[in-house]
Amino acid sequence: GGPEDGSESGGGGEFGDRSLSHGLSVLVGLALCVTMLGLGCAVELGQLGQQLRRPVGLLLALLGQFVAMPLLAFLLALIFALDEVAAVAVLLCGCCPGGNLSNLMSVLVDGDMNLSIIMTASSTLLALFLMPLCLWLYSRHWINTAVVQLLPLGAVSLTLGSTLLPIGLGVLIRYRYPRAADLIVKISLWSLLVTLVILFILTGTMLGPDLLAHIPASVYAIAVLMPLAGYALGYGLATLFRMPPHCRRTVSLETGCQNVQLCTAILKLTFPPELIGGMYMFPLLYALFQSAEAGLFVLGYKMYGRDSYKQDALGEEEDTDISYKKLKEEEVADTSYGTVTTEEHNSIPMEPTQSAL
């Protein structure tokens, strides 16, 4: 009945059930692999090349996921005076890269899918170096506590590094088998929702029926406020960059949606159960509220914002489509008649019968 059995940590003793704990570890690992594979299948090499030439998505991912969100998590932990265990769980979630939920939600709000995918992929790759750095930096306030001294930065880096293999495999599948990649992306998005429900049920069963009552009200408050503030920060960041409305919605969702599967895997695979206790539930609570708030975002857009944004978004999409068509026409003209100069393109054709169209 001493502290070693985890009874003082909100049910950590029941977490010690070897068979259930092992099964949960396997489920967490598989869910993370499927998520990262789906992310890789959504990335096209051509898009990566374009983003490297004009790395706006990379810059927004850097500022949103590794400047705004870690700082927000740190400030919330201070404002609500969290203990070291809860603070580490909140910091881990705040320092995680973007999650696949944002890709699904971006589709529902008519966002820029290329930007969404590039931001998610970029933040995942940047997390390999920046997530341990952010954790080390923001955990200094609790440095003299046992949980922070045991903060496994090396294990965090190893877990992040292990995600590169399924991402790389997904990119290869997209390059070689596009149709299979499309199917895997859909499977990964739906498996995300199913996995979160299963994890919530299994974790609640393992930690006992009184689990939710043992979690402080301040942790619930942070789980509600943190994604909401992340969405607002992302929208403000995109506005600062003077991005069009559909891109603002995309950046907003990318900033507030965290990779809770990664956070869950790190908490489950690197911390002793008796030490982390009920705080293992925080990323699942965050996932619950980030999904609910994103759903309200989508509902509000469908009901009120769609018409107001339609004209602007349509105009931008038409410009893009026209530019793309012009490019294609120029390519056809190049192969049929030779080089088309800018003056020829802008001038009024005197002999319509010679037009490539």
Side-chain angles (χ1 to χ4, degrees):
E4 292 79 12
D5 65 1
S7 60
E8 296 182 3
S9 298
E14 296 182 24
F15 213 131
D17 188 320
R18 295 297 180 87
S19 58
L20 285 178
S21 181
H22 178 70
L24 190 59
S25 298
V26 172
L27 178 62
V28 168
L30 288 176
L32 184 61
C33 287
V34 172
T35 300
M36 295 298 101
L37 179 64
L39 175 59
C41 286
V43 176
E44 295 185 4
L45 296 178
Q47 295 174 359
L48 288 177
Q50 293 175 4
Q51 290 299 321
L52 289 176
R53 290 191 294 269
R54 189 172 179 267
V56 177
L58 180 64
L59 179 59
L60 289 171
L62 173 65
L63 294 177
Q65 296 296 342
F66 301 108
V67 176
M69 291 304 292
L71 180 59
L72 174 63
F74 174 72
L75 292 177
L76 288 173
L78 288 182
I79 292 171
F80 286 92
L82 298 184
D83 60 43
E84 64 273 13
V85 176
V88 165
V90 171
L91 285 175
L92 269 173
C93 194
C95 294
C96 277
N100 286 39
L101 178 65
S102 59
N103 305 139
L104 177 62
M105 293 300 177
S106 293
V107 173
L108 298 178
V109 296
D110 302 321
D112 188 331
M113 280 307 299
N114 287 340
L115 178 62
S116 177
I117 292 169
I118 290 300
M119 285 188 67
T120 303
S122 300
S123 64
T124 302
L125 296 178
L126 289 171
L128 186 63
F129 307 101
L130 295 182
M131 186 176 176
L133 176 62
C134 290
L135 286 173
W136 177 84
L137 177 64
Y138 288 108
S139 65
R140 298 299 89 191
H141 181 77
W142 299 273
I143 189 60
N144 293 323
T145 59
V147 69
V148 173
Q149 291 176 355
L150 292 174
L151 188 62
L153 296 179
V156 171
S157 298
L158 183 61
T159 304
L160 288 166
S162 65
T163 64
L164 297 181
L165 181 60
I167 291 176
L169 179 60
V171 173
L172 179 61
I173 293 175
R174 165 61 65 182
Y175 179 72
R176 298 291 299 274
Y177 311 103
R179 292 186 179 179
D182 292 335
L183 179 61
I184 293 174
V185 170
K186 294 179 181 178
I187 292 174
S188 68
L189 290 175
W190 286 110
S191 68
L192 165 65
L193 303 178
V194 175
T195 301
L196 290 176
V197 173
I198 295 175
L199 284 176
F200 200 92
I201 294 173
L202 287 181
T203 305
T205 301
M206 293 173 65
L207 295 180
D210 297 330
L211 167 68
L212 299 181
H214 282 87
I215 297 177
S218 57
V219 174
Y220 280 102
I222 291 177
V224 173
L225 293 175
M226 193 167 155
L228 190 62
Y231 295 142
L233 286 172
Y235 198 91
L237 187 63
T239 303
L240 185 64
F241 275 76
R242 298 181 179 179
M243 303 191 76
H246 70 293
C247 290
R248 295 178 192 177
R249 297 193 296 274
T250 303
V251 176
S252 174
L253 290 167
E254 281 294 328
T255 304
C257 289
Q258 300 296 88
N259 191 336
V260 292
Q261 302 98 310
L262 179 61
C263 184
T264 302
I266 292 173
L267 286 174
K268 181 68 180 70
L269 302 177
T270 61
F271 281 100
E274 64 274 8
L275 184 62
I276 201 66
M279 286 303 102
Y280 173 73
M281 287 293 289
F282 179 77
L284 301 180
L285 290 174
Y286 187 95
L288 176 65
F289 289 113
Q290 81 172 4
S291 302
E293 292 167 7
L296 292 176
F297 189 151
V298 173
L299 181 62
Y301 170 73
K302 295 293 186 183
M303 293 179 62
Y304 304 106
R306 192 166 193 171
D307 292 336
S308 62
Y309 284 126
K310 188 174 183 180
Q311 294 301 324
D312 292 337
L314 182 60
E316 288 156 5
E317 289 172 1
E318 286 177 350
D319 289 343
T320 303
D321 291 339
I322 289 172
S323 299
Y324 179 77
K325 289 176 182 178
K326 287 180 179 178
L327 177 62
K328 287 298 183 183
E329 290 169 2
E330 289 174 4
E331 289 176 355
V332 172
D334 287 345
T335 57
S336 302
Y337 296 101
T339 304
V340 179
T341 64
T342 304
E343 294 180 356
E344 292 172 344
H345 179 72
N346 293 331
S347 61
I348 300 175
M350 298 301 294
E351 299 181 3
T353 56
Q354 295 181 358
S355 171
L357 297 177

